Amino acid sequence: MKGTQVLRKAGQWGAIATLGLVAACDLFMPVEPVLTPRGRPAGLVPPEPKPQPTSERSAALRSYLTQVQSSQLTQGLLRRDGGGPDTPFTANMLARNFEQIVFFNEYNSSGVRTGVPGELRRWQTPVRIGIVFGASVPPSQQARDRADVARYANRLARATGHPISVSSNPNFLVFFVNEDERAATIASAATRLPGVSAANLGAVRNLPDDAYCAVAAYASGSSRSVYTAAVAVIRAENPDLLRLSCIHEELAQGLGLANDSPNARPSIFNDDDEFALLTNHDEALLGMLYDPSLQPGLSLAEARNTVNQLALKALGQAGPS
């Protein structure tokens, strides 16, 4: 059996569903040919191809999300400083935030708040990230998105100590697609990943309007606590900072920091959107999650003492002798 964990940004929710095992099939991303034009004067840059026409719905979403970003920046939200003197946290706060973000899910598969802790979930094999673009994303934007994902993957690898990289043989797909192309693009590529089917892609394929992005993590092996595939979807209508914020939150959530907590600060795992990018607090959470002293499948009760010690270690404090 396999489990599916789904999360989204903006009005975020989480769910666990149990579904039948789907056969694995690796996806090899095509490499675009590099053409060398002849007879072009030195320094002359060809114009970008015109973007594909978009629907009124997609255009309206782009306008709405641009307004959202502008409003949040005006309110002092979407901070990029990673936290500072105004956002102190103790080892006890870090440990409690870890418990809420790792062991709890905001909702179950029926959309009901449960408040019941689950098991620790994370990857055991290397995370190989593939990037898929819809036809609406122009080449210049694709280049920026690729660079942002690659740079962030390196940061996640350092924070976790776990192998995470961009790959042509992915098990974690990141889609940049607009409203018009999302369903078809995801269906054609994501179902080639192990444990992913059209039936369990619904939450990332059918985004509500208030969702900037979403991620679903899948466990298709013998343990429901070990992720083997993930699919993140980022609206191509997002403006620059919301787009980068989605990269930071969805990729980190797809590693196992699944929930949000109103008490987590400084953190992107908080519905208040105070921080746009991964913070020092969040890097500590990632390091704790992938520490060898914790293993997938542990319950909160089994892990609590270790979590407390890891929180002290993360802040450079000595535990009890």
Side-chain angles (χ1 to χ4, degrees):
M1 301 296 290
K2 65 180 177 59
T4 302
Q5 186 154 358
V6 181
L7 312 111
R8 70 180 173 88
K9 185 174 176 64
Q12 301 186 11
W13 50 274
I16 293 290
T18 301
L19 303 164
L21 181 62
V22 177
C25 178
D26 288 334
L27 171 63
F28 291 85
M29 301 298 295
V31 178
E32 295 182 359
V34 178
L35 302 180
T36 304
R38 299 181 182 278
R40 181 193 303 161
L44 180 62
V45 179
E48 278 195 356
K50 290 183 178 180
Q52 298 293 316
T54 58
S55 66
E56 290 185 6
R57 179 174 172 78
S58 178
L61 279 168
R62 184 179 297 276
S63 176
Y64 164 72
L65 291 168
T66 299
Q67 293 176 51
V68 167
Q69 177 176 289
S70 177
S71 175
Q72 289 181 326
L73 289 172
T74 300
Q75 298 174 65
L77 302 176
L78 297 178
R79 289 173 56 174
R80 287 160 280 180
D81 56 14
D86 64 319
T87 59
F89 58 93
T90 65
N92 184 62
M93 294 165 62
L94 185 64
R96 299 294 80 79
N97 291 340
F98 183 91
E99 291 180 4
Q100 288 296 315
I101 292 169
V102 171
F103 288 96
F104 288 85
N105 290 294
E106 208 168 348
Y107 300 92
N108 65 14
S109 58
S110 301
V112 178
R113 291 180 183 271
T114 64
V116 178
E119 299 174 340
L120 185 146
R121 298 179 176 88
R122 73 182 190 200
W123 295 74
Q124 292 291 82
T125 56
V127 178
R128 306 183 304 274
I129 299 172
I131 308 169
V132 180
F133 294 99
S136 67
V137 184
S140 59
Q141 182 64 58
Q142 290 186 26
R144 288 192 292 271
D145 291 336
R146 287 185 189 279
D148 287 338
V149 172
R151 185 161 44 246
Y152 188 51
N154 290 335
R155 183 178 176 186
L156 292 174
R158 292 193 301 270
T160 59
H162 188 76
I164 302 171
S165 62
V166 174
S167 171
S168 61
N169 178 24
N171 51 20
F172 192 141
L173 284 177
V174 182
F175 290 85
F176 292 87
V177 284
N178 75 2
E179 183 68 14
D180 306 326
E181 64 208 4
R182 184 177 65 250
T185 306
I186 293 172
S188 66
T191 51
R192 303 180 190 181
L193 294 177
V196 182
S197 68
N200 60 31
L201 275 172
V204 291
R205 186 181 58 240
N206 308 315
L207 294 184
D209 288 351
D210 68 345
Y212 317 151
C213 42
V215 66
Y218 302 85
S220 64
S222 58
S223 171
R224 295 181 67 247
S225 301
V226 176
Y227 291 149
T228 54
V231 176
V233 179
I234 298 172
R235 287 191 184 276
E237 292 92 350
N238 278 306
D240 53 357
L241 186 52
L242 281 186
R243 197 182 194 100
L244 186 58
S245 176
C246 278
I247 292 172
H248 276 231
E249 181 163 357
E250 303 311 332
L251 268 63
Q253 288 199 309
L255 295 180
L257 297 180
N259 196 19
D260 290 302
S261 170
N263 298 317
R265 184 173 188 259
S267 180
I268 58 175
F269 305 110
N270 188 319
D271 285 337
D272 63 8
D273 282 341
E274 180 183 6
F275 289 87
L277 309 182
L278 199 75
T279 67
N280 54 352
H281 168 279
D282 299 335
E283 285 197 345
L285 294 180
L286 286 166
M288 293 166 63
L289 177 61
Y290 281 84
D291 190 279
S293 61
L294 292 176
Q295 291 297 318
L298 286 177
S299 68
L300 174 55
E302 292 170 327
R304 177 164 280 153
N305 288 339
T306 302
V307 168
N308 290 336
Q309 292 301 310
L310 290 174
L312 289 168
K313 179 182 175 182
L315 297 187
Q317 301 174 12
S321 57

